[in-house]
């Protein structure tokens, strides 16, 4: 998404020079969200972008691994030899974290690429017994699809609740009930000791039958190929871009899952592994390259997830909030949570309340204070809760 959108945005903003898009996968560039939904369930064959690259004068070089960057020479190294650049945009995304000891074990899967989804399709078709490791966003979405396909599903989570690294306990603890209500077993405080063909052994001695194991324990920036390039990376491996997504190397930008950026809005550096960031960031990169605009990149992060019959949306960044307001309760089919800092909304989570999300996102973008009493009343539209 980030690479494709950067190329398209460059053309839209008037760049007329040669433009090459290099990708390691052999497939036509595609959108990732359908991988855990329609493609996984066999309802679609692919999710290729509807873009005429030839008409836009974008050269695609697919199935080509990039192995290094030599900034002094303005060249990248590839399996097919060096490629020279005037300007380079790094949009290599993230790669899933593997489960130690499970590499190479038959029946163990990741879900990040089109090939991953294609390999997992038969697992669902045959209604296998599946163990999902990790109750994060991707784990919940795969468990949802597997249950829809009729698989027996057990989700193993090392923390005491789902989404422990993403949201506070008071918000995520009620979400644990979604699993059982849809026929999936959720085991929390459960650590995997060993994965063997046909079974998963937990650290407490329990044994889980598993025709297939799907690992969803996070992702890390795919920046290993930049080792030795001199580019600045943070301890987690993300490229540390500036407010215009420029890297520490001249004529090199970074966008999407592989790069963090400083947010003046939130007063800290953000690393956002979500689709909307890969859509919005490229416009800033293209504007900086073409000189069309000189605007810092400071978005309100946004993402969504479809799980267990619910549409979950999140906007903002709640880390430094000083107050949390409930709009409704988790016992309801639809509810929202609003985070405030000095009565100004900084983040919102909406479950089945898209209007809350749309109105709340605008309040976050404009830093508009609200009346907490009215904002906590789910019958009051958020736009009518302005202080």
């Amino acid at each position: 998404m980030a690479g494709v959108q950067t190329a398209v945005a460059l053309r839209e903003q008037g760049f007329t020079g040669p433009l090459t898009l290099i990708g390691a996968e052999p497939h036509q560039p595609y959108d990732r969200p359908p991988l855990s939904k329609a493609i996984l369930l066999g309802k679609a064959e692919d999710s290729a972008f509807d873009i005429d690259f030839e008409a836009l004068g974008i050269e695609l070089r697919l199935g080509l691994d990039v192995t290094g960057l030599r900034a002094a020479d303005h060249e990248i190294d590839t399996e097919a030899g060096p490629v020279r650049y005037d300007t380079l945009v790094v949009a290599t995304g993230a790669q899933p974290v593997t489960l130690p000891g499970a590499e190479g074990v038959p029946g163990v899967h990741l879900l990040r690429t089109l090939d991953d989804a294609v390999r997992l399709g038969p697992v669902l078709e045959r209604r296998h017994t599946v163990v999902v490791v990790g109750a994060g966003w991707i784990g919940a979405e795969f468990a949802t699809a597997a249950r829809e396909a009729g698989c027996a599903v057990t989700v193993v989570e090392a923390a005491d609740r789902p989404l422990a690294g993403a949201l506070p306990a008071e918000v995520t603890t009620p979400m644990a009930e979604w699993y059982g209500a849809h026929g999936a077993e959720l085991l929390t405080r459960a650590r995997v000791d060993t994965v063997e063909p046909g079974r998963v052994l937990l650290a407490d001695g329990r044994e889980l039958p598993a025709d297939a194991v799907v690992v969803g324990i996070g992702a890390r920036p795919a920046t290993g190929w930049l080792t030795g390039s001199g580019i600045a990376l943070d301890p987690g491996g993300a490229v540390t871009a500036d407010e215009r997504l420029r890297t520490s190397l001249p004529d090199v930008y970074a966008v999407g899952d592989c790069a963090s950026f400083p947010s003046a809005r939130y007063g800290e550096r953000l690393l956002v592994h979500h689709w909307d960031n890969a859509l919005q960031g490229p416009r800033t990169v293209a504007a900086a390259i073409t000189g069309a605009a000189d605007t810092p990149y400071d978005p309100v992060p946004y993402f969504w997830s479809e799980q267990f019959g619910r549409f979950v949306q999140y906007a903002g960044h709640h880390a430094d909030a000083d107050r949390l307001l409930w709009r409704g309760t988790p016992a309801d089919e639809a509810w929202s949570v609003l985070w405030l800092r000095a009565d100004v909304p900084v983040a919102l989570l909406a479950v089945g309340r898209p209007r809350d999300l749309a109105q709340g996102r605008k309040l976050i973008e404009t830093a508009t204070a609200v009346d907490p009493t009215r904002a906590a009343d789910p019958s009051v539209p958020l736009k009518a809760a302005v202080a």
Side-chain angles (χ1 to χ4, degrees):
M1 168 64 88
V4 167
Q5 293 299 328
T6 300
V8 171
L10 280 165
R11 289 297 189 228
E12 289 177 345
Q13 296 185 28
F15 180 76
T16 58
L19 190 51
T20 304
L21 185 61
I22 299 176
E25 293 184 64
H27 311 289
Q28 283 287 306
Y30 60 87
D31 204 6
R32 292 192 190 277
L35 297 184
S36 61
K37 305 171 184 71
I39 293 175
L40 192 60
L41 290 167
K43 297 177 181 178
E45 292 184 1
D46 64 46
S47 56
F49 292 113
D50 184 17
I51 295 171
D52 190 336
F53 292 100
E54 184 176 356
L56 288 172
I58 299 170
E59 179 188 0
L60 291 182
R61 300 189 64 180
L62 304 177
L64 182 62
D65 269 318
V66 178
T67 58
L69 165 60
R70 290 177 287 108
D73 299 325
H74 268 59
E75 287 185 342
I76 55 173
D77 292 317
T78 78
E79 296 172 316
V83 176
R84 181 166 175 78
Y85 66 85
D86 293 315
T87 302
L88 176 68
V89 179
V90 177
T92 44
Q95 55 196 17
V97 176
T98 57
L99 187 64
E103 297 92 337
V105 177
V108 176
H109 300 265
L110 300 168
L111 180 52
R112 181 77 183 183
T113 67
L114 178 59
D115 288 337
D116 291 337
V118 169
R119 281 190 290 266
L120 277 165
V123 171
L124 272 60
E125 290 173 9
R126 297 168 190 159
R127 299 187 178 182
H128 280 176
T129 297
V130 179
V131 171
V132 179
V133 183
W137 300 110
I138 195 66
E141 290 189 2
F142 178 81
T144 298
R147 284 300 302 139
E148 184 176 335
C151 298
V153 178
T154 301
V155 181
V156 177
E157 170 56 51
D160 61 351
R161 54 194 167 84
L163 296 167
L167 296 166
E170 60 191 301
V171 177
T172 60
T173 298
M175 294 178 174
E177 299 177 6
W178 298 355
Y179 289 76
H182 283 76
E185 184 178 11
L186 173 63
L187 304 179
T188 56
R189 297 188 178 90
R191 293 189 175 275
V192 174
D193 181 66
T194 308
V195 178
E196 300 174 354
R199 66 176 185 166
V200 174
L201 302 176
L202 302 183
D204 61 9
R206 282 179 289 180
E207 179 180 324
L208 306 176
D211 297 319
V213 177
V214 178
V215 179
I217 54 176
R220 294 194 180 108
T223 55
W225 65 281
L226 291 167
T227 300
S229 69
I231 200 168
L233 306 175
D234 68 19
V239 179
T240 51
D242 69 8
E243 71 282 358
R244 285 164 180 78
L245 301 180
R246 297 170 297 203
T247 74
S248 61
L249 297 178
D251 303 318
V252 179
Y253 295 77
V255 66
D257 289 5
C258 68
S260 67
F261 57 89
S263 171
R265 184 190 306 276
Y266 291 106
E268 62 181 285
R269 181 167 285 275
L270 300 182
L271 177 62
V272 181
H273 279 191
H274 293 295
W275 184 91
D276 193 63
N277 180 49
L279 176 67
Q280 304 294 340
R283 297 168 187 167
T284 295
V285 171
I289 292 171
T290 62
D294 188 28
T295 306
Y297 185 57
D298 197 8
V300 173
Y302 167 75
F303 70 89
W304 80 96
S305 176
E306 296 176 61
Q307 51 184 268
F308 305 114
R310 292 169 171 84
F311 187 45
V312 183
Q313 296 171 283
Y314 177 93
H317 181 64
H318 64 269
D320 61 350
D322 56 34
R323 188 169 185 178
L324 183 154
L325 300 179
W326 285 89
R327 289 173 57 80
T329 73
D332 300 329
E333 278 295 308
W335 47 272
S336 298
V337 173
L338 184 67
W339 285 269
L340 307 178
R341 184 178 65 235
D343 291 345
V344 174
V346 293
L348 182 135
L349 175 79
V351 178
R353 290 181 67 102
R355 185 173 297 177
D356 275 8
L357 190 287
Q359 295 180 11
R361 190 177 184 180
K362 289 181 179 178
L363 295 176
I364 296 167
E365 289 172 346
T366 55
T368 301
V370 296
D371 175 345
T373 301
R374 289 180 60 75
D377 185 343
S379 68
V380 176
L382 278 174
K383 65 181 181 181
V386 172

